Amino acid sequence: DAADTPVNDSVQMAVLVGKHSTKYIEFNRVMSHDFGEWENIDYQMGEWNARKYNLPVIYMNHPKGEMRSFDKIVPHRFLVTDKIPTIDWVLSDETQIIGGYMGHKATGKYAGRTWTAWYTEEIPSSAGPWKLRGFPGLILQANDIGNIFSFSINQIIKRSGPIIYMSEMEHQKISSSKFTAKRNKLFCNK
């Protein structure tokens, strides 16, 4: 029965790591907008296809101590503000090579889910995908316990330049709890 067949979607995201802040954004969008590769048709098409996912753009530590997420519930745009999450990670002695880097395993709870994350101290940044963070090294891979959400490093691109902050003008400011309630009312309604 088709109703029992699991569906997998994947999209390529980017984590821009700066000295003081990070930005989580769809990969094609960052390549065309932030890195000025407007003419690349692959990035244009990739960004156009990714729009159907309504993916957030998340800033950590801009401004200092805050997490800001530019999110959508079509046709509305929201600026969701919150403090940077603190995740109580439990470190493990388990290691594995991920993307050519030595990964260290940890588990923690965030947003109602239990997460397994693999981070490397070879890249000194507390950044990670989505809202996951908090290690003495970059998160290379993470998944929730049910494998509903899974993040895995694809490549590391070293580029210099500023992290470009999105305009707040067309976004309604809202707290994280109010945004979650709005989103769940719409998307969790059977």
Side-chain angles (χ1 to χ4, degrees):
D1 182 38
D4 295 331
T5 305
V7 175
N8 291 319
D9 279 331
S10 67
V11 66
Q12 195 171 9
M13 301 297 290
V15 179
L16 297 168
V17 178
K19 290 180 183 176
H20 304 289
S21 62
T22 61
K23 179 179 183 179
Y24 175 77
I25 185 171
E26 193 273 326
F27 177 76
N28 295 293
R29 188 173 180 186
V30 79
M31 293 305 288
S32 61
H33 294 272
D34 292 56
F35 294 136
E37 306 225 6
W38 299 97
E39 301 301 319
N40 186 312
I41 193 71
D42 291 332
Y43 294 145
Q44 291 174 17
M45 292 304 296
E47 179 184 1
W48 187 82
N49 286 327
R51 286 176 188 251
K52 62 187 166 201
Y53 294 109
N54 293 320
L55 301 166
V57 176
I58 302 170
Y59 294 87
M60 292 286 186
N61 210 37
H62 184 80
K64 188 173 182 164
E66 286 190 23
M67 174 179 63
R68 290 191 169 195
S69 177
F70 290 83
D71 223 318
K72 291 183 225 169
I73 301 175
V74 175
H76 305 286
R77 295 176 184 205
F78 296 95
L79 172 55
V80 184
T81 59
D82 210 342
K83 292 182 179 180
I84 293 177
T86 300
I87 304 170
D88 292 324
W89 294 104
V90 177
L91 305 181
S92 166
D93 291 334
E94 196 173 337
T95 61
Q96 70 172 319
I97 301 296
I98 300 171
Y101 296 93
M102 175 60 71
H104 302 274
K105 184 179 179 181
T107 56
K109 292 185 184 225
Y110 178 68
R113 298 182 183 280
T114 300
W115 294 88
T116 298
W118 296 84
Y119 67 96
T120 182
E121 293 178 350
E122 295 174 52
I123 302 173
S125 170
S126 64
W130 186 53
K131 299 175 183 179
L132 303 176
R133 60 181 313 282
F135 296 108
L138 184 71
I139 296 176
L140 301 172
Q141 188 172 309
N143 61 282
D144 73 324
I145 201 161
N147 267 331
I148 294 172
F149 297 100
S150 179
F151 303 96
S152 185
I153 192 163
N154 185 27
Q155 63 181 322
I156 293 179
I157 301 171
K158 295 180 181 181
R159 293 211 174 174
S160 295
I163 292 178
I164 299 169
Y165 191 72
M166 289 180 60
S167 171
E168 298 178 10
M169 288 182 56
E170 296 179 3
H171 294 79
Q172 175 187 345
K173 291 184 180 180
I174 190 170
S175 70
S176 180
S177 59
K178 286 183 181 178
F179 177 78
T180 300
K182 279 182 176 287
R183 185 193 61 211
N184 289 352
K185 184 177 180 183
L186 179 65
F187 294 125
C188 298
N189 185 345
K190 293 182 182 184

